[in-house]
Amino acid sequence: MEVSLKEIMTRVEGSLAAAVGDYTSGMTLGSLGGGRDFDVHVAVAGNTDVIRAKVHTMELLGLQEQIDDILITLGNQYHLITLGKGRGKTSLFLYLVLDKHKANLAMARHQLRRVEEEMEV
């Protein structure tokens, strides 16, 4: 997991923070970046509510789709959430915070998906 987070932070230009979270518990399983002005653990815990709400809404609508990712756009940042797929990863998500002015969102989504596929838990 630590290797995956390091890979995200080094390969994705404009990365400010990266984390692996569990949306059933709200726990951060690993993180890099952030700092005094951005508490990654608080962000992971808060974004579990976003994921739970979307999963619940999809159930209410009867949608049989999987969530690829969730994008939250702020004035100066992108917050990108990619849900885990595959055995042992169903409640896990990768969370990436990007500087909106430095990041290439398409490349970040691509890299995040690739890292998620390769990540071992």
Side-chain angles (χ1 to χ4, degrees):
M1 193 176 317
E2 186 177 327
V3 171
S4 296
L5 292 173
K6 284 180 182 177
E7 187 174 346
I8 292 168
M9 292 294 288
T10 56
R11 287 189 169 219
V12 180
E13 189 173 342
S15 296
L16 301 173
V20 176
D22 180 336
Y23 73 83
T24 56
S25 68
M27 302 255 327
T28 304
L29 304 177
S31 66
L32 283 177
R36 191 172 20 138
D37 297 331
F38 188 84
D39 188 331
V40 177
H41 301 286
V42 171
V44 167
N47 279 297
T48 61
D49 292 335
V50 172
I51 297 168
R52 289 178 192 155
K54 188 59 190 172
V55 168
H56 179 70
T57 302
M58 289 175 62
E59 288 170 357
L60 290 174
L61 293 170
L63 297 176
Q64 301 298 314
E65 298 282 333
Q66 285 188 339
I67 299 171
D68 288 331
D69 56 42
I70 298 170
L71 172 64
I72 300 167
T73 305
L74 305 178
N76 293 311
Q77 296 176 345
Y78 293 125
H79 291 229
L80 187 56
I81 302 166
T82 298
L83 274 62
K85 295 176 178 58
R87 202 170 120 218
K89 298 184 195 176
T90 55
S91 67
L92 300 184
F93 65 96
L94 281 170
Y95 174 63
L96 179 61
V97 180
L98 300 163
D99 181 319
K100 189 175 180 180
H101 305 289
K102 295 179 182 175
N104 177 325
L105 185 57
M107 286 302 297
R109 290 179 73 207
H110 174 74
Q111 289 291 339
L112 202 57
R113 272 191 229 121
R114 189 185 59 71
V115 167
E116 186 280 324
E117 289 171 0
E118 295 173 0
M119 187 173 68
E120 293 184 23
V121 184

